[in-house]
Amino acid sequence: MKFVAHAFTHRRALFVLLALCLVAGVLAAFTSARSIYPRVAFPRIAVIVERGEQPVRGMMIAVTRPIEQSVSAVPGLMRVRSKTVRGASEFSLDFRPTADMRDALSMVRARVTQAGLPPDVAVTIEQQTPAVFPVLSFNVMPGANSADDPVARARLAEWAATHLEPRIARLPDTFMVTVQSGDRREYVFQADPVALAQAGVDILAITDAIAAANRVEAVGRSSAEGLQYQLLVDGQITAPEQILELAVRREGRVPARLAELGQLIETTAERTMIVTGGGREGVVVSVFLRDGGRVTQLSQDVARIIDEARAIVPEGGEIVPVYDQAQLVNESIAGVRDAIAIGTALSILVIALFLGNWRITVVAGLAIPISVLLTLAMFPLLGESLNLMSLGGLAVAIGLIIDDAIVVVENVARRAQAMPDGASAREVFGAVAHGTGEVLGAIVGSSLTTVVVFLPLVLLEGVVGQFFQSLSLALGMSILASMAVSLVYTPLMLLIPGLTPKTGVTPRRWMVRIQDTYAAFAARTLRHPWLTGVSLLTIVLLGVAGLHGIQTGFLPEMDEGGFVLDYALPVGSSLDETDATCRRLEAILLDTPEIAALSRRTGAELGFFATEQFTGDMLVGLKPRDERERDVFETLTGLRERIAREVPQAEVEFIQVMQDTIADLAGNPSPIEIKLLGGEYSLLQSAADDVETAIARIPGIVDVKNHVSFGSPELSWKPDPLRAASVGLTTDEIAAQTSAQLLGDVATRIQQQDRFIDVRVRYPDRWRVDGSVEGLGPTVLMRSQAADGQTSFVPLSSVAHFER
């Protein structure tokens, strides 16, 4: 009674405090970070090292092994896993859950810097967080007139990078924006080998001449008329036509103009990846959410930018949305909102039915929204966001929230009904105070017991612990808030004139009948305790039996409205062959009525990986649930069967976006991995095939992937040391000249509007490859140096022999 009296004395201050907290809760509901996942810090760092077209053996020696040895000394490191492919190495560094990842990231970067890597490598090092995976994706598709023009598609990618990317990147909730396209515009100076031979100039000299001319150097200062001028030597190339006016010096001869040695064309770089949208080549724009950002607000802002940009897409292009994670978040928030509304309505209905008093019904019903708002008010203070786990905690807590208030109002109502009609205000106050005091211990004990039950979830470590901490915090705060509301504000509201419980109410006959029936049943049960024990044992055994065969998993199965299709062709498949197979996969997907849009990457992936040209993924967006007959699981089952039947050469894996992200962040792309270790790779290959066959027979197992690799196919020229030396060539010079002629060298970059365009020097296609593997040898000309100082050109086949 003293507790309620003390609260009643300070009721004005308490209600002011409640009003402030409710305002804070409303503000938090609109301003708190919103995302799919809680703020998760995965103890994993990914390192990607790229080095052009370096073969696997060269990458292993120059990159993979030095980095593995260097990072092994980083404190807290548990495991290093590496993957080496042609031109790239990928490292996954797993740390202890207790490791300070900021310090770990700094130390990894320092150790990689000290690994002694070649100077021509590109290194990217990032901690794996949900921020490195996109939450929004859309396609920018070329118009019908430019769909088959690679240069036009490259210009479209430049437009997306200069117009869409900066606007989206400036949004407050954006972490990063990427623009992916298989076409990259460049200017190519195609050197005529005949003209070079006649002029006595090699292709490397052309590259050096262009690079040396396109320079701007500050050479001094000059003061005049009160101004200080900076003196420059400005040879900057501002228009591609200026390249043809450059000249190559020739010893003892007149310089040769580049216009006499070849031609300049605008084209696209040799493709190492292909990006499509809806089965047509285009541009894919992916948007990433910053840590603590609001995905729903980001979705609205990006949608506004897209709507404004639709009318100005070059050459009649269009923008097609593919995936929007905000839809799932909005559905989750709407689900919690509906749960609160339905829970409140049902609670009010039950209270009104059993207590028959609208005043008490209103007071008890108010406990739900008040408790929820008080919980939301605590989110910013604890750094919590509105995510699937915290929203799930709120939804679970709805039934517990109303329970405390019902206990208080029911006990108060029972005491008030027992009082004579017309009782004084003091007597009503006593009924409220005594009724609350009688259940005070029970409410505090039951609430704290529930909180203690979920307390171990807060103490869990690792990724699982970070997920369940969000759920347990939301649930625990909700219960504590409901306890405070039921013990403090519910009695105070019952003392407000107009909301006080009725006195002198005669119990209803049907309620008396229910109470009598229950009392008789309880008495009979107490007289036969063995029957109660047998019943409880039977229930326990049934519960244990029900555990057999029950499904388990980290996240609940839900229809996310989209999925990722990972695919791989046999190792070494060409980009064109992979593209042809992927177009068959796209045709199957687009023929599926549940699919609304898709984007495809070949030679690249959504996440942070080193990807070869025969692998990639497709991001598929489904139609809204009410517009399709099948859910995502039925759709995936149908696709899996059809692709296995119609495209058997493709190894595919289906996984929903959230599950794919979690698996990639944790470093385990597949739920179950089996590793075979041994000294003989041929025996491991045979054993892996047997394991794959055995696992595929297990019911419920799908998407079994065998990672046996027989190596990438290679074609080699083996220099003949004696013959090469006789014409003044070394292995290094042969490699440099061959690379310059086949791949071409990027000599410089010229600025056009807001973009830098590469200028490449190489031979025309007809001089580089004649279409057959055997023809690769004699089609390349080497500039040699004779003993008398004279230069000449010899075919590569005269100084090296060709091997497959």
Side-chain angles (χ1 to χ4, degrees), residues 311-566:
I312 59 174
V313 180
E315 300 184 21
E318 60 177 340
I319 300 178
V320 181
V322 176
Y323 177 72
D324 187 351
Q325 199 176 86
Q327 295 178 357
L328 186 58
V329 176
N330 286 329
E331 291 175 0
S332 301
I333 294 176
V336 173
R337 179 201 62 205
D338 295 342
I340 293 174
I342 295 174
T344 302
L346 292 177
S347 300
I348 291 175
L349 179 62
V350 171
I351 296 172
L353 178 64
F354 283 90
L355 298 183
N357 189 325
W358 69 267
R359 298 178 178 88
I360 294 181
T361 301
V362 171
V363 172
L366 288 174
I368 294 180
I370 292 176
S371 299
V372 170
L373 289 176
L374 291 179
T375 303
L376 293 177
M378 294 294 295
F379 274 26
L381 301 179
L382 299 176
E384 190 58 71
S385 65
L386 294 176
N387 55 75
L388 290 185
M389 301 304 290
S390 62
L391 292 174
L394 285 175
V396 172
I398 295 301
L400 302 175
I401 288 174
I402 192 64
D403 184 61
D404 291 342
I406 290 177
V407 171
V408 172
V409 298
E410 191 278 333
N411 199 51
V412 170
R414 183 174 55 82
R415 274 188 161 272
Q417 290 172 356
M419 297 173 62
D421 190 15
S424 65
R426 185 178 183 82
E427 291 174 330
V428 172
F429 178 87
V432 173
H434 284 291
T436 303
E438 288 176 345
V439 297
L440 175 63
I443 290 178
V444 172
S446 64
S447 298
L448 294 182
T449 301
T450 306
V451 172
V452 169
V453 168
F454 287 95
L455 184 61
L457 296 179
V458 181
L459 304 179
L460 290 176
E461 295 182 349
V463 175
V464 175
Q466 295 179 66
F467 267 80
F468 281 100
Q469 283 175 11
S470 184
L471 181 143
S472 58
L473 282 175
L475 184 57
M477 287 187 296
S478 300
I479 294 173
L480 293 178
S482 71
M483 181 181 69
V485 170
S486 62
L487 294 179
V488 178
Y489 292 102
T490 297
L492 291 180
M493 286 188 286
L494 288 174
L495 294 174
I496 296 175
L499 293 179
T500 54
K502 289 183 178 182
T503 59
V505 178
T506 303
R508 286 167 293 178
R509 285 179 294 179
W510 65 273
M511 282 290 298
V512 173
R513 190 178 303 115
I514 292 177
Q515 293 173 355
D516 293 342
T517 302
Y518 173 75
F521 174 79
R524 190 179 304 111
T525 302
L526 292 175
R527 287 195 299 269
H528 303 86
W530 62 270
L531 183 60
T532 303
V534 171
S535 300
L536 290 176
L537 180 61
T538 303
I539 294 174
V540 170
L541 293 177
L542 290 175
V544 173
L547 293 175
H548 179 70
I550 191 171
Q551 295 183 351
T552 61
F554 180 61
L555 291 175
E557 290 188 349
M558 67 183 79
D559 191 332
E560 299 179 23
F563 62 89
V564 176
L565 187 156
D566 294 320

Side-chain angles (χ1 to χ4, degrees), residues 549-739:
I550 191 171
Q551 295 183 351
T552 61
F554 180 61
L555 291 175
E557 290 188 349
M558 67 183 79
D559 191 332
E560 299 179 23
F563 62 89
V564 176
L565 187 156
D566 294 320
Y567 61 86
L569 266 67
V571 175
S573 298
S574 67
L575 186 64
D576 291 338
E577 178 65 22
T578 306
D579 181 48
T581 303
C582 288
R583 293 190 181 279
R584 295 175 60 188
L585 294 176
E586 288 174 324
I588 294 175
L589 293 173
L590 294 174
D591 189 46
T592 304
E594 289 79 10
I595 292 177
L598 63 90
S599 62
R600 186 247 299 185
R601 283 147 294 275
T602 299
E605 294 180 70
L606 279 172
F608 199 62
F609 307 101
T611 309
E612 295 186 276
Q613 296 183 1
F614 51 84
T615 64
D617 60 31
M618 300 183 188
L619 180 60
V620 182
L622 300 178
K623 295 178 181 178
R625 186 66 183 90
D626 56 355
E627 297 181 14
R628 45 190 166 97
E629 297 181 357
R630 299 184 296 178
D631 61 20
V632 65
F633 306 105
E634 296 170 331
T635 302
L636 294 184
T637 300
L639 287 172
R640 186 178 287 111
E641 296 173 353
R642 183 175 177 183
I643 290 177
R645 182 175 63 253
E646 299 183 18
V647 194
Q649 70 272 29
E651 189 178 72
V652 300
E653 178 184 9
F654 296 91
I655 186 169
Q656 293 201 78
V657 180
M658 283 179 54
Q659 297 172 351
D660 184 53
T661 302
I662 294 297
D664 290 340
L665 288 174
N668 298 303
S670 300
I672 299 176
E673 290 184 352
I674 299 177
K675 296 183 179 181
L676 306 182
L677 305 178
E680 294 291 335
Y681 192 68
S682 59
L683 296 178
L684 289 177
Q685 291 174 329
S686 176
D689 293 336
D690 295 338
V691 171
E692 179 186 15
T693 302
I695 292 177
R697 297 195 186 103
I698 300 176
I701 297 293
V702 296
D703 299 334
V704 180
K705 298 179 69 174
N706 186 340
H707 294 280
V708 168
S709 172
F710 295 93
S712 300
E714 295 178 345
L715 304 173
S716 303
W717 281 287
K718 297 289 186 180
D720 186 312
L722 182 60
R723 294 166 63 185
S726 65
V727 293
L729 291 173
T730 64
T731 299
D732 185 62
E733 291 172 333
I734 292 174
Q737 291 196 47
T738 306
S739 175

